[in-house]
Amino acid sequence: MHAKDLPNFKDLPAVKGMPHGCAWGLFDKDGQRDNVGTLNLLTPEVVMEAKKEIQTGVSVALNWPLHKVHQPGFLRKEPEHKFLDGKPLGFIAHDDEIHINTQSGSQWDGFKHWGHQETELYYNNLKHEDVIGTTDNGIHHWSKRGGIVGRGVLLDYASWADKKGIRYNPMSRHQIMVQDLDDIAKDQGVELHPADILIIRSGWIKWYDAATPEDRYAHVNQGHEHIGVDGSAETVEWLWNHHFAAIAGDTIAWEAWPPKAPYRIHDFSLALWGEPIGELWDLEELSEVCKKQKRWSFFLTSAPLNVEGGVASPPNALAVF
C-alpha cells in the first residue's frame, strides 16, 4: 500500500456503525484481515528513500531507562529487575529477570491497547471481549512484517516554545495545536512526507527528570492532566491527510490528557486507523543532536517485542543521522 493511494479524510468510505474517518478494510489484502494498519505504508521504496538520511553515522537511542516511570499511574506496576546466580548450578554466571507493564515506560501502543470507546471495538472490528483470546491485532505482527523502519521527523515543541517565550506546565492539559506543528516544521526547515514517523517533543520527560520524587508522585502517579496534541476535528483530519506511518512523543499519552470525545486521538489512531502511538520516548539527546546537525529528520528503526498476541511493547528505537 502506498500513501498516494489513500483517500483524503473527507473521502474515506463509510463503515457501518462507526464514525466518519474509520479506515477499516483499507489495508486488507487478498481477502486477508490486516493487522498492521498504517505500518503498511513503510514499503521497501519508502525504506530505501529513508536510508538517504544516514549521512554522519551518529545514532541516538530513544528508549527511556526501564526503571522510569518510578511510580507509574493508571494502577500500573513498577518494573522489577532480579538477578539469578548461576553458581548453585556449578557455573560462574548470572541470568536476570525483568518484569514490566509494557505501558509503564517508553512504549508503543499496539492495536489491542485501546478501542473506540463508544462502540468498544478495536482496530479492524475486533470486539473487546475477543482481545484476550485472539492473536489478531497482536504486537507480533509488527515483528513479522520486519519491524518499523523509515524516516523519522522530530518536531521540537519544547525548544520552539522556549524560543517564542511560551510558558507552560507539562503536567497540565496544555494543548499543542496543529498550527503550532506547522509553524515548528517551517521554523526547523523540515518537510513532512507521507509514511513519516512523526515524533513530538513536549518537554514532559525534561520536567520529570528534573522534578523531585514528591512532585513526580503528585503529578504522575496521582495526577490526571498532561501536555499533548490537541484532540480536535482539525487535528484528526491533519493527521490522516499527512498519512504518517506512526506517531510518537515524550509525553504520557501523546494527545492532551485527559482526552475528550468525540475526537480522542487514541480512538482514531489506534482503533480506527491502525496507527501506532509511541509514548514516553526519551527525546532529550535527540533534540540536542538535531540542533547540532541542524536537521530534524533521520533514519529510524524500531524492533518491538515479538510477543504473540501482545498488547504493547518498549520501542527499542534508534535514530540514525
Side-chain angles (χ1 to χ4, degrees), residues 14-311:
V15 175
K16 186 177 180 180
M18 301 305 293
H20 178 75
C22 184
W24 294 352
L26 282 185
F27 297 110
D28 292 352
K29 186 177 180 181
D30 300 328
Q32 296 296 311
R33 181 189 189 279
D34 176 67
N35 287 289
V36 299
T38 55
L39 295 181
N40 283 290
L41 302 179
L42 296 174
T43 63
E45 295 85 357
V46 166
V47 174
M48 291 299 289
E49 185 66 23
K51 78 172 185 177
K52 297 177 182 177
E53 298 289 339
I54 303 177
Q55 299 175 18
T56 65
V58 173
S59 61
V60 181
L62 305 182
N63 276 31
W64 208 18
L66 201 59
H67 65 279
K68 301 179 182 180
V69 175
H70 295 88
Q71 294 174 295
F74 304 100
L75 302 178
R76 292 167 180 155
K77 291 184 177 181
E78 301 173 35
E80 298 177 13
H81 184 200
K82 179 181 178 182
F83 287 97
L84 303 175
D85 191 348
K87 202 168 185 179
L89 299 175
F91 302 106
I92 306 304
H94 281 90
D95 289 354
D96 60 358
E97 294 179 350
I98 300 170
H99 299 264
I100 62 168
N101 182 313
T102 54
Q103 297 288 322
S104 68
S106 293
Q107 67 196 257
W108 280 119
D109 285 351
F111 306 148
K112 284 185 168 185
H113 171 58
W114 186 275
H116 181 253
Q117 298 300 287
E118 282 70 30
T119 62
E120 300 186 6
L121 296 172
Y122 295 71
Y123 177 61
N124 234 356
N125 203 26
L126 178 65
K127 295 179 180 178
H128 181 78
E129 55 267 27
D130 293 337
V131 164
I132 295 177
T134 182
T135 59
D136 286 350
N137 288 3
I139 201 83
H140 68 288
H141 290 288
W142 301 7
S143 293
K144 190 175 180 180
R145 72 164 304 279
I148 299 173
V149 182
R151 178 181 185 254
V153 174
L154 175 69
L155 295 184
D156 194 342
Y157 177 81
S159 293
W160 176 83
D162 184 62
K163 185 166 67 172
K164 296 290 184 181
I166 299 171
R167 300 289 177 255
Y168 63 92
N169 179 5
M171 300 298 139
S172 70
R173 200 179 183 278
H174 180 81
Q175 298 174 87
I176 300 172
M177 312 303 288
V178 162
Q179 187 60 56
D180 296 333
L181 300 179
D182 285 335
D183 290 346
I184 294 166
K186 183 178 180 180
D187 185 67
Q188 293 177 177
V190 64
E191 292 185 7
L192 301 176
H193 298 167
D196 278 349
I197 298 146
L198 174 67
I199 303 173
I200 298 174
R201 176 175 174 259
S202 69
W204 194 98
I205 277 182
K206 180 181 179 180
W207 178 94
Y208 185 96
D209 282 341
T212 65
E214 292 77 17
D215 281 344
R216 291 172 180 170
Y217 181 78
H219 290 287
V220 180
N221 185 280
Q222 298 296 307
H224 302 289
E225 292 193 350
H226 302 276
I227 186 174
V229 175
D230 168 51
S232 65
E234 181 184 16
T235 300
V236 167
E237 185 168 351
W238 185 90
L239 285 171
W240 175 263
N241 287 343
H242 276 82
H243 301 317
F244 298 120
I247 55 177
D250 63 343
T251 190
I252 205 163
W254 203 83
E255 63 182 307
W257 197 265
K260 295 183 179 181
Y263 294 107
R264 305 178 194 92
I265 295 174
H266 273 60
D267 282 31
F268 279 87
S269 289
L270 294 174
L272 301 187
W273 302 340
E275 179 183 63
I277 299 178
E279 297 158 348
L280 295 175
W281 288 24
D282 186 356
L283 306 178
E284 296 308 292
E285 183 182 355
L286 180 66
S287 172
E288 294 305 312
V289 172
C290 284
K291 291 171 186 175
K292 184 176 181 180
Q293 304 234 357
K294 295 183 172 59
R295 60 190 182 100
W296 282 261
S297 59
F298 36 86
F299 187 76
L300 186 136
T301 71
S302 170
L305 297 177
N306 194 354
V307 178
E308 188 168 277
V311 169

